[in-house]
Amino acid sequence: MKKDDCIFCKIAAGEIPSGTIYEDHDFRVIFDRGPAAKGHALILPKEHYADIYEIDDDLLAKAAALAKKMAVRMTSVLGCDGFNIVQNNGQAAGQTVFHFHMHLIPRYKNDDAKMGWKVHDITDEEIAALVAEFN
Ligand code: 5GP
Ligand code: ZN
């Protein structure tokens, strides 16, 4: 299904022009309009799924395989030194466009892309309490 007011549905369908570097039956891969580093691209499914909670398992598996294929190709073309694959779900996690997408971010030794998190201390007891929540 497509969602009428979704910008990524329109881009994925080719209704809005984009810098496309790969397309198949299920996906379009475009360059991000606000790149964190040179070559920052996005994998967009052509069907609308808001996030990882909604996306079909088989399509997600295809997206993961495509992420690898794109990482290999982009690393070869761009000569980057590393590669981040980022996928945000929900406003609290930094998602701003609510159509599932994967960020493909080539990284360079001296780039200024900011990624990561503050590291907190955790005790063995706190880890055990977390494990208990899953049992
Ligand atoms: P999110 O924060 O939801 O994980 O990522 C959304 C990404 O989409 C951002 O990196 C933003 O720069 C990019 N973006 C938002 N609107 C457009 C657009 O119209 N075209 C393209 N190519 N990228 C967009
Ligand atoms: Zn959409």
Side-chain angles (χ1 to χ4, degrees):
M1 286 279 287
K2 309 278 186 287
K3 194 161 176 279
D4 280 349
D5 58 349
C6 174
I7 180 98
F8 280 4
C9 278
K10 292 186 173 68
I11 291 174
E15 291 165 18
I16 296 176
S18 63
T20 296
I21 51 172
Y22 176 87
E23 184 181 3
D24 64 22
H25 178 263
D26 296 310
F27 302 101
R28 183 185 292 270
V29 181
I30 63 165
F31 283 123
D32 195 297
R33 278 275 168 204
K38 183 187 171 189
H40 181 167
L42 302 170
I43 296 179
L44 308 181
K46 292 187 175 178
E47 293 296 314
H48 183 88
Y49 300 92
D51 51 33
I52 200 161
Y53 303 107
E54 279 192 6
I55 192 168
D56 175 84
D57 283 0
D58 291 340
L59 194 64
L60 181 60
K62 285 185 187 174
L66 179 56
K68 176 179 177 179
K69 180 170 158 165
M70 293 308 302
V72 169
R73 170 96 174 113
M74 290 167 72
T75 299
S76 159
V77 172
L78 296 166
C80 54
D81 304 303
F83 213 93
N84 290 119
I85 294 173
V86 177
Q87 200 278 307
N88 299 324
N89 299 283
Q91 202 172 8
Q95 187 176 9
T96 58
V97 180
F98 295 89
H99 174 125
F100 177 95
H101 52 279
M102 292 172 84
H103 294 263
L104 304 171
I105 309 177
R107 298 299 304 272
Y108 307 89
K109 280 194 185 84
N110 295 312
D111 72 32
D112 61 1
K114 297 264 186 301
M115 236 159 292
W117 48 83
K118 182 178 181 302
V119 174
H120 298 86
D121 291 328
I122 189 167
T123 63
D124 289 345
E125 290 71 24
E126 286 168 325
I127 290 174
L130 279 173
V131 170
E133 289 188 46
F134 286 83
N135 294 313

